Amino acid sequence: MNYNFDEEIERRGSQSVKWDLFSKEALPMWVADMDFKAAPPIIDALQKRLDHGVFGYELVPQKYYDTISSWFAKRHGWDWIRKENVIPTTGVIPAYSACIKAFSRTGDMVIVQPPCYNAFFPAIRNNGCLESHNALVYKDGTYSIDFDDLEKKAADPRTSVMLLCNPHNPAGRVWTREELLRIGEICLKNHVFVISDEIHCEITYPGHDYTPFGTLPDEIVRNSATCCSPTKPFNIAGIQIANIIAKDPEVVRRVDRAINDNECCDVNVFGVAALIAAYGESGEWLDEMLSYVYENYLTLKDFISKELPKAKVLPLEGTYLPWLDLSAYRKEGEPLEGFSARLNKHLEEKAKLILSCGTIYGPEAEGFQRINIAAPRKRVLEGLRRLKYGLETY
């Protein structure tokens, strides 16, 4: 291994959302933010940009688009991306918010698949739309899509958009090509536009290859826009850079108008440099990081199997955010409703462990907690010991 992912970097005092919101005794394992240093080529590129000393408004160079095109073609077989297909913006949340604005009207229904990323909900409401829940089916320790229900939700004449998450956060599923194809066919048939949030697309594990929505059949792809970013896989979320990718020129036109209406069309000068270095020079770092985090996942599974046998660890196909079913740790006679929040508060107060409460991803996630394992292994093991203590004292 060429990179030291065991290095424990002190992040308190750096204005870190993850660390500085809590007491110095707390161990934060919640928000999707790694505790690893970024790849050396990214740091070098940022230093070079910093040394220039002038940070005015940034033109996005052709190299930016060429780097995106080359990365996705070589790594994922997505071969049609060119400059005219890419709209840079400040982040994936502004990206899919603009796409909702472009393809919906006030009062429309937007399909989501809860438990799903919690920022989906305000993005829908802030655009004057309503949520349509195509809840994932939890069975035998994993999630699947209820396609019959999706058909019904898509057929509702009020439904104009589906907000897809691939890989899915927090369920950890990497949707197969067959699953994505069926989603695409249902939405195309019912004139429902697909917005695919693929921010975690680089973070997948053995046996679970990421399929870009943009590699499906042409008529499905033209009924979609993909929102992606190097920020999650390369740990540069604070730099704020993302892209909307669409094949159909009319889709690009409508989304570009919405991006400008929402005034999130200017990009961070450091974001441009960071993206080029990430996609252009940091593939080896990414591969080693994924191997390290996957070992963290195996460590977590082994610990919970031996020390917390009533807990269930859902298969982690993608993301670095294992999804834990802790519903069996309810007290005798305790109702399931509100359990996730009560347990989350107990873990924070008693065990000084900060996890993401399941129900922020929708009421369908009662009983669950999400844990971030993109950290040095020593820190992950400490978090697991605190989890055990917290569950034993609940």
Side-chain angles (χ1 to χ4, degrees), residues 101-376:
K101 182 185 184 77
F103 288 92
S104 68
R105 295 176 296 179
T106 299
D108 279 2
M109 306 294 289
V110 175
I111 298 172
V112 290
Q113 295 178 306
C116 58
Y117 181 42
N118 52 301
F120 282 8
F121 305 128
I124 292 168
R125 297 173 197 142
N126 290 344
N127 278 289
C129 296
L130 304 172
E131 302 160 21
S132 177
H133 284 211
N134 171 229
L136 298 179
V137 178
Y138 179 50
K139 184 179 179 181
D140 299 328
T142 190
Y143 283 97
S144 60
I145 297 170
D146 185 341
F147 284 106
D148 290 338
D149 181 68
L150 179 58
E151 288 263 17
K152 293 175 184 176
K153 299 290 168 61
D156 186 329
R158 298 172 297 170
T159 302
S160 58
V161 168
M162 178 174 181
L163 190 47
L164 176 68
C165 193
N166 178 41
H168 192 280
N169 173 24
R173 278 295 317 276
V174 176
W175 303 121
T176 65
R177 184 175 184 85
E178 290 72 24
E179 288 169 319
L180 294 172
L181 186 59
R182 193 164 177 192
I183 290 170
E185 290 170 344
I186 289 170
C187 289
L188 183 65
K189 181 178 71 175
N190 291 283
H191 309 288
V192 174
F193 187 80
V194 178
I195 304 166
S196 189
D197 174 359
E198 300 185 2
I199 194 170
H200 291 279
C201 69
E202 310 299 343
I203 310 171
T204 63
Y205 303 108
H208 303 285
D209 293 332
Y210 153 68
T211 299
F213 201 86
T215 61
L216 297 181
D218 189 68
E219 65 274 17
I220 290 174
V221 172
R222 289 181 179 276
N223 186 52
S224 73
T226 296
C227 305
C228 58
S229 170
T231 55
K232 293 299 183 197
F234 294 99
N235 199 32
I236 51 174
I239 291 177
Q240 299 186 329
I241 190 74
N243 297 288
I244 304 166
I245 303 174
K247 191 171 190 180
D248 190 287
E250 178 60 14
V251 171
V252 174
R253 186 195 68 79
R254 290 173 67 172
V255 173
D256 188 58
R257 172 63 185 269
I259 281 284
N260 281 274
D261 285 349
N262 285 1
E263 298 180 343
C264 52
C265 50
D266 292 325
V267 294
N268 186 318
V269 297
F270 294 103
V272 173
L275 180 143
I276 292 171
Y279 288 155
E281 304 175 66
S282 304
E284 181 184 30
W285 181 95
L286 175 63
D287 292 337
E288 292 197 15
M289 182 276 293
L290 291 173
S291 294
Y292 186 91
V293 172
Y294 190 67
E295 287 297 323
N296 279 353
Y297 166 62
L298 296 179
T299 299
L300 175 143
K301 280 185 64 181
D302 182 66
F303 181 96
I304 288 181
S305 174
K306 293 175 180 176
E307 305 292 338
L308 296 168
K310 293 194 295 182
K312 295 178 183 177
V313 182
L314 273 68
L316 188 66
E317 300 175 1
T319 82
Y320 47 76
L321 307 162
W323 189 230
L324 308 180
D325 180 353
L326 304 178
S327 56
Y329 284 87
R330 282 180 292 159
K331 300 170 188 174
E332 186 176 352
E334 180 183 8
L336 180 60
E337 184 178 0
F339 167 68
S340 287
R342 293 189 295 271
L343 177 60
N344 190 267
K345 183 177 181 181
H346 173 81
L347 290 172
E348 178 178 349
E349 294 178 349
K350 188 74 174 178
K352 307 301 181 186
L353 177 64
I354 315 299
L355 302 183
S356 294
C357 179
T359 46
I360 68 171
Y361 307 104
E364 296 86 351
E366 192 65 82
F368 288 81
Q369 303 285 328
R370 193 188 77 171
I371 184 169
N372 180 344
I373 58 169

Side-chain angles (χ1 to χ4, degrees), residues 7 23 280:
E7 181 184 3
S23 69

Side-chain angles (χ1 to χ4, degrees), residues 376-394:
R377 195 154 300 135
K378 182 179 177 182
R379 195 169 284 171
V380 172
L381 285 167
E382 173 61 21
L384 292 172
R385 287 189 285 268
R386 294 187 187 205
L387 177 63
K388 180 183 178 183
Y389 175 71
L391 289 173
E392 289 176 343
T393 57
Y394 181 71

